[in-house]
Every structure is written in C-alpha cells, then in structure tokens.
Amino acid sequence: MIKTKRLLLRRVKKEDWKAIQRIWEDEAVSPYAQYDNIKELDDLSVTNRIARWGREAEYYNHIFFAVCLQDEIIGYISCNRCVDAYEIGYCFHSKYHGQGYAKESVLGVIAYLRDIGASRLVAGTAIKNIPSIRLLNSVGFKQVGAEKVSFYKDSEGKDIYFDGGIFELQLG
C-alpha cells in the first residue's frame, strides 16, 4: 500500500472491476482512446480481466494499483516487468484530470518501485497525447525514442498507425 498526501494506492482486487469499468467507459469517449489498447467493456470481459489483475497482487511481475481518493477509485497504475525495467501505464477518470492526482500517484509508484529494487522505468504514449507527455516529463521521464504503433484497423482491415513516444526514467 502507498499513501500520498491525498491518495491511497493499493493493489487491485477482483471486486474493483466495476470501478475500473467506469474508468474505461469514460476513457472510451476521450479523444485519446484511439491511442490505447482496445478494451472490451462488457461486464464479463472486465470482470475476468480485473480478476487476473487481482491474482497478481502477491507477485511483482505485474503490479496493478487502484488509485483511491477516500473510498472512490479514480484511476489505476500498471507496472509490468520487462527484461530490465518496469513499464508503467496509467488511466484516470476525466472527472479527476487536471488536479494533480495522476502526478501525485505516479510519484508514489516511482518511489515504491525504487524501494523494491527497480533501476529503470519505461513508458509509451502517443506523441499527440500532450497531457500524458507533460505528466511523464514532470516526474522525470525523458523521451528516448519513437515508434509507429497500431491498435486499430480501418474498414479494409489495414492497421491505423500513430506516432508513439518511448520514455525512460533511470532510478539508479
């Protein structure tokens, strides 16, 4: 568990599925949704996915934090172990954008990952997702590369690409 000035970050539990479903439904109408993985929003798909996240709570390869403001889950942060780093991702309900909650919680997660021995973090985001880039830069990430990314296909089944930035934060 991580406590910040205003927030509590705890491992996601299977019972959190409805709160995370609301966050994904909100994200789905965001202009930035086109730059993220496709998420099935039906109850069964969300329940199954969050149950998988909950089963990871005892391990350190895939860490999923529910970001709680009092008793409400306002977002989540994922940390997935790759070869020599953790890849960090996040999503917050738009009702809580622009209030510093994402930065506060990401800084808490960075400190936690440093404490458990991580030496490097990576993150990817669309170059057009200026709020996400600002957040990453504000907590110390630097852009170290770029890539073409596709999560969606057009009506002919061809990939729709966008420019993604690769960001890195050295902790050691």
Side-chain angles (χ1 to χ4, degrees):
M1 202 175 324
I2 301 168
K3 289 184 180 182
T4 69
K5 183 177 178 182
R6 301 176 291 172
L7 304 168
L8 174 69
L9 285 74
R10 60 163 175 76
R11 293 288 189 109
V12 167
K13 300 180 285 193
K14 67 180 180 178
E15 297 83 13
D16 296 333
W17 74 270
K18 196 69 175 164
I20 293 174
Q21 183 183 48
R22 280 191 297 275
I23 292 166
W24 286 343
E25 288 169 345
D26 178 66
E27 179 198 28
V29 298
S30 160
Y32 301 112
Q34 65 183 316
Y35 306 122
D36 203 355
N37 286 315
I38 299 168
K39 295 177 182 77
E40 299 295 329
L41 298 176
D42 63 277
D43 288 358
L44 182 59
S45 295
V46 175
T47 302
N48 288 339
R49 187 169 187 183
I50 301 311
R52 280 194 312 273
W53 288 14
R55 286 191 297 272
E56 293 292 334
E58 298 176 31
Y59 308 102
Y60 292 92
N61 282 334
H62 306 286
I63 306 169
F64 300 96
F65 289 105
V67 179
C68 305
L69 177 63
Q70 294 156 3
D71 292 331
E72 184 176 1
I73 297 174
I74 65 169
Y76 66 87
I77 298 175
S78 64
C79 309
N80 294 294
R81 187 89 170 110
C82 28
V83 176
D84 62 344
Y86 275 96
E87 181 175 14
I88 189 168
Y90 41 81
C91 187
F92 288 79
H93 194 284
S94 64
K95 177 178 168 184
Y96 299 98
H97 289 184
Q99 299 173 57
Y101 294 123
K103 182 175 182 177
E104 184 176 329
S105 56
V106 168
L107 285 169
V109 168
I110 290 170
Y112 171 83
L113 292 172
R114 183 181 285 121
D115 288 349
I116 65 167
S119 60
R120 187 170 79 93
L121 305 180
V122 294
T125 193
I127 297 298
K128 290 184 178 179
N129 190 342
I130 302 303
S132 186
I133 291 174
R134 282 189 187 133
L135 172 60
L136 290 170
N137 288 333
S138 75
V139 298
F141 280 80
K142 303 291 182 217
Q143 186 174 351
V144 295
E147 62 185 343
K148 294 285 187 192
V149 182
S150 173
F151 296 119
Y152 297 93
K153 297 189 182 296
D154 66 16
S155 59
E156 297 175 6
K158 296 179 185 172
D159 287 324
I160 300 171
Y161 288 97
F162 64 89
D163 293 320
I166 302 167
F167 294 80
E168 179 181 80
L169 175 63
Q170 295 289 336
L171 299 178

